[in-house]
Amino acid sequence: MERPGDVRAAIRRGEWTAPTAGLATGFVQANLVALPAADAFDFLRFCVANPKPCPVLDVTDPGSVEPAQLAPGADLRTDLPRYRVHRHGELVNETTDARAVWREDFVAFLLGCSFTFERALLAAGLPVRHLEAGVNVPMFRTATACTPAGRFSGPLVVSMRPMTPAQAIRATQVTTRYAAVHGAPVHVGDPGELGIADLGAPDYGDPVEIRAGEVPVFWACGVTPQAVAAASRPELMVTHAPGHMFVTDVPDETLAAL
Amino acid sequence: MERPGDVRAAIRRGEWTAPTAGLATGFVQANLVALPAADAFDFLRFCVANPKPCPVLDVTDPGSVEPAQLAPGADLRTDLPRYRVHRHGELVNETTDARAVWREDFVAFLLGCSFTFERALLAAGLPVRHLEAGVNVPMFRTATACTPAGRFSGPLVVSMRPMTPAQAIRATQVTTRYAAVHGAPVHVGDPGELGIADLGAPDYGDPVEIRAGEVPVFWACGVTPQAVAAASRPELMVTHAPGHMFVTDVPDETLAAL
């Protein structure tokens, strides 16, 4: 399926419940966070204060299920293949249809996702080890605190891709253009600087091989809001399930440095 | 006065009520918009949807007068040299002290200002005509609508600097690094494309000479919120007076592409 609207329609009909990597190649996929309106201003402030982990691509009108900027006509309650429901910071349910849990007063946020910059890395001839290995990217909760805003605070979550130092420099150039999808790395080298004890034991995703001559390169990660939810315990938060993203109508290239 | 804290202290004591251009060189200056909390979420959504005219640098906690990210300890009611008070979209007052009009439930937004990228243009040897002439930059309301959000909608306002085409290309490169202060131009060339009838009659600021071989180069402008206020008529909005900015503790270079 190459057209975003076809992907969303298949998902809405319940015909696709798997991860979205590789679908509608070349179109932006996005992280979902939906919250009651009473928490929405604090969460938007949190995102604005932490643009690297939480780059805001679209915000719905309170009560609307349509992301008007990224995919007019879509329905965020049904158009993602899998959702997670968090109550008071605890993951309580995973579902393929969010209509039963979606509240009238929800505000939904779509945040940039690393798929876009990974395509740019591959196009530049740079290695993306977890894609080579066919596993999920390794992700780590760090000892670095996000900038708090209102009721939201918590740790920065990073993803890691091993590269040679020369490749890390090129990757910094390539991803700098994509500030709307996490942008340049936050750290290169010693994981201890981020408070990461063991690169072989990621907090989310899968470990990957780091070869001789390679260093770990860390990017801010869109899983950060889920770690922040665990720390901040909002009454109710609905997110995508990892890897089960919202497919937008927006070409990747439109997110490159404006 | 070269230190931001000294500038703000002098302003707070009432010793400086003039424009802030040239003060604390090398530190970011910011546009101010303060609104009742009930309008703050819609306004923040408006800014996020329109990052070129409204790049958000800091948002206060509701009821706080301190921009904790940009200048800890500062007081936004007293630390700008001149304010404008808008009621239902009408400019009703200009004052050097906003304490009498500041509401307990205000949320204040600090938005990026072109001073930062103009320093970068000058450092790159590019002309900034209004600075050469010692006048205000010419600004124009355009026929381009901003992306609406909640109760806020209105026209994009642009600033204009004349350059040769080669200089416009270099200026595009230089300002692309400064997405947090309006970023790359929105248009180069025919002002009619933006619905601007007469470059000699700006809606704000002063006209400047366009020399043979030069084209007008247009950037999104931080005066946009004031035009949006006029169109959207919020109950109460306090802004800086044009040119009378908030001086932050943040060096300009920290806003270059992260």
Side-chain angles (χ1 to χ4, degrees):
Chain A
M1 288 184 292
E2 285 309 309
R3 293 194 303 186
D6 293 344
V7 172
R8 293 196 301 270
I11 292 169
R12 192 182 301 191
R13 289 192 302 266
E15 296 168 7
W16 186 275
T17 58
T20 51
L23 301 181
T25 305
F27 290 89
V28 170
Q29 299 196 17
N31 298 285
L32 171 71
V33 174
L35 286 161
D39 288 331
F41 178 58
D42 277 355
F43 186 73
L44 185 54
R45 285 203 295 144
F46 181 84
C47 293
V48 167
N50 297 280
K52 296 196 86 165
C54 304
V56 181
L57 302 182
D58 204 353
V59 185
T60 64
D61 286 318
S64 169
V65 297
E66 179 190 17
Q69 300 306 312
L70 294 186
D75 184 334
L76 290 171
R77 302 170 303 173
T78 55
D79 291 2
L80 287 82
R82 191 169 292 273
Y83 300 83
R84 285 187 165 181
V85 182
H86 312 255
R87 289 190 192 276
H88 302 291
E90 305 288 334
L91 173 62
V92 295
N93 191 24
E94 211 173 271
T95 178
T96 59
D97 182 337
R99 281 178 292 184
V101 72
W102 202 274
R103 275 179 26 180
E104 289 279 315
D105 68 338
F106 262 11
V107 175
F109 301 80
L110 292 172
L111 309 179
C113 150
S114 59
F115 289 0
T116 297
F117 82 65
E118 288 181 347
R119 284 184 197 133
L121 293 174
L122 292 172
L126 295 164
V128 181
R129 185 65 33 80
H130 65 278
L131 295 181
E132 296 167 8
V135 298
N136 287 324
V137 68
M139 294 166 273
F140 303 87
R141 271 191 300 275
T142 71
T144 302
C146 292
T147 302
R151 69 168 299 155
F152 292 100
S153 61
L156 173 68
V157 177
V158 295
S159 59
M160 189 280 287
R161 294 161 189 81
M163 298 183 180
T164 68
Q167 289 168 336
I169 290 166
R170 185 72 184 125
T172 299
Q173 293 178 308
V174 169
T175 56
T176 292
R177 289 189 71 222
Y178 290 92
V181 285
H182 307 310
V186 293
H187 184 59
V188 176
D190 179 13
E193 289 282 317
L194 293 171
I196 298 170
D198 182 359
L199 286 180
D203 296 301
Y204 314 87
D206 303 303
V208 296
E209 181 193 7
I210 302 181
R211 297 181 186 154
E214 290 184 335
V215 291
V217 187
F218 299 94
W219 275 267
C221 177
V223 170
T224 299
Q226 299 189 33
V228 166
S232 306
R233 307 177 61 76
E235 178 191 357
L236 179 60
M237 176 188 273
V238 174
T239 68
H240 67 289
H244 299 68
M245 318 303 290
F246 179 72
V247 178
T248 80
D249 290 339
V250 177
D252 283 327
E253 188 59 19
T254 60
L255 292 192
L258 299 174
Chain B
M1 288 184 294
E2 286 308 310
R3 293 194 306 186
D6 293 345
V7 172
R8 293 195 301 269
I11 292 169
R12 194 182 300 191
R13 289 192 301 267
E15 297 169 7
W16 186 276
T17 57
T20 52
L23 300 182
T25 305
F27 291 89
V28 170
Q29 299 196 17
N31 298 285
L32 171 71
V33 174
L35 286 160
D39 288 331
F41 179 56
D42 277 355
F43 187 72
L44 185 53
R45 285 203 295 145
F46 181 85
C47 292
V48 166
N50 297 280
K52 296 196 87 165
C54 303
V56 181
L57 301 182
D58 205 353
V59 185
T60 65
D61 286 318
S64 170
V65 297
E66 180 189 17
Q69 300 307 313
L70 294 185
D75 185 333
L76 290 171
R77 302 168 303 173
T78 55
D79 291 2
L80 287 81
R82 191 170 293 272
Y83 300 84
R84 285 187 166 181
V85 182
H86 312 256
R87 289 190 192 276
H88 301 291
E90 305 288 334
L91 173 62
V92 294
N93 191 23
E94 212 172 270
T95 176
T96 59
D97 182 336
R99 280 178 293 186
V101 72
W102 202 274
R103 275 180 26 180
E104 289 278 316
D105 68 338
F106 263 10
V107 174
F109 301 81
L110 292 172
L111 309 180
C113 148
S114 60
F115 289 1
T116 296
F117 81 66
E118 288 181 347
R119 284 183 195 133
L121 293 174
L122 292 171
L126 294 164
V128 181
R129 185 66 32 80
H130 65 278
L131 296 181
E132 296 166 9
V135 298
N136 288 324
V137 67
M139 294 166 274
F140 303 88
R141 270 191 301 275
T142 70
T144 302
C146 292
T147 301
R151 69 168 297 155
F152 292 100
S153 61
L156 173 69
V157 177
V158 295
S159 60
M160 190 279 287
R161 295 162 189 79
M163 298 183 179
T164 67
Q167 289 168 335
I169 290 166
R170 185 72 183 125
T172 298
Q173 293 178 307
V174 168
T175 55
T176 292
R177 289 189 72 221
Y178 289 92
V181 285
H182 307 310
V186 294
H187 184 61
V188 175
D190 179 12
E193 289 282 317
L194 293 171
I196 298 170
D198 182 0
L199 286 180
D203 296 300
Y204 313 87
D206 302 303
V208 297
E209 180 193 7
I210 301 181
R211 297 179 187 157
E214 289 183 336
V215 291
V217 187
F218 299 94
W219 276 266
C221 177
V223 170
T224 300
Q226 299 190 34
V228 166
S232 306
R233 308 177 61 77
E235 178 191 356
L236 179 61
M237 177 188 271
V238 175
T239 67
H240 67 288
H244 298 69
M245 319 304 288
F246 179 72
V247 178
T248 80
D249 290 339
V250 176
D252 282 326
E253 188 59 18
T254 60
L255 292 192
L258 299 175

